[in-house]
Amino acid sequence: MNDHLVKKRLGYAMVLGSLAALGPLCTDLYLPALPDLASELATTTATSQLSLTAGLLGLGAGQLIFGPLSDRLGRMRPLLFSLALLLAASIWCAVAPTIDQLIVARLLQGLAGAGGAVLSRAIARDLYNGHDLTKFFALLMLVNGLAPIVAPVVGGGLLSFLSWRGIFGALAIIAVLLFILSAGKLHETLPAQRRSHGGVAAMAKSLAALLHHRQFMGLCLTQGFILAGMFAYIGASPFVLQQIYHLSPQMFSLCFALNGVGLVFAAQISTRLSLMWGELALVKIGLAIAAVASLLLVIAAAMHAPLIALLIPLFFSVITIGIIGPNAGSLAMQSQGKNAGSASALLGVCMFALGAASVPLTGLGGTSALSMAVTICGCFFIAIVIFVLLARPAFARQS
């Protein structure tokens, strides 16, 4: 491979990897600023968390919008539109005078962020196949794993010299840079003759078939509720660790990063172990660890335990997400053939919709360590029940 082609591939990797990180950036960059945001806008913790919920809803809905749209119109026009929308929404977030306006702006910001995430995968599929595609997807997965770790740390650093409005201003600058890079480095990868003409009806029919697939839906909902527990942690932890345990935004970011590193390592280790034991065994092991860790988290929170006694079961609750999520998602996708695109969209929508529902639950009656722990534990145990009732019987019939 000549130097020009290597540099071209590296340029694509940098741009597409940055686009893949838009979802986590939109969700996690402003997390350390949530308490300040609630104070300045004179709103409650639960109401301020609705800004996170709105962003998650946008990220979920956007996958159903930009994916099919790009199959019909090509990749570049929807991509550039999503980045322009991200710029406008970020500016609106930065200047929003009320929490109501911020929530609407966050919904649009989530929609825009979903465009970058979905289209980065679509463009990669257009460009590569075989082992090259596998390696490129591995890069995108690494970015998606590291971005949630880095974003709160960067957000905490920005808060040392910017307000929460400045963080949304930084996201606006990121949108401009990605628009310039995408327009300059990328090109249309879906020729007109390969574009879809099925329309909304064809996609709706495909999604309806998936909803009646017992094994797929069991795994989809298992993964969705496990990740809903993660979003409950994401939404509540800034208030619990900063307001109740009095950590600085920078120390909170470091704690968040430590849990994120554990999640990434757990995902990498479980991927290797799945080659020996199989994905189904790893899902079962992960669910068992999730049950024990989340119960210990509830006990620690109920006893108003010292910070370290709370952080240890919280750490293990978070890393189980790295075990269950990838393996349940992989099994779900393996059960599908020609419906892989719709299956991927439904997995994403389920994850973000359930995550959006779990976040405000932690703020009912005032966010506390106990409300966070109970919500995480509840999500995990619903996932276990769904797996036992839906997914496991389907696998038993196959054996």
Side-chain angles (χ1 to χ4, degrees), residues 315-330:
F315 175 80
F316 283 99
S317 295
V318 171
I319 69 169
T320 57
I321 297 163
I323 301 172
I324 300 165
N327 287 289
S330 176

Side-chain angles (χ1 to χ4, degrees), residues 9 12-13 16-17 19-20 75 79 116-130 132-141 186-187 189-190 194:
R9 287 198 169 197
Y12 267 94
L16 295 181
L19 291 171
R75 311 301 186 201
L79 174 60
V118 170
L119 291 168
S120 65
R121 295 192 298 267
I123 292 172
R125 284 198 298 269
D126 295 338
L127 289 172
Y128 305 111
N129 54 51
D132 286 338
L133 180 60
T134 302
K135 289 194 296 184
F136 208 93
F137 272 10
L139 170 66
L140 296 184
M141 288 179 66
L186 303 181
H187 65 275
T189 57
L190 187 66
R194 288 173 49 201

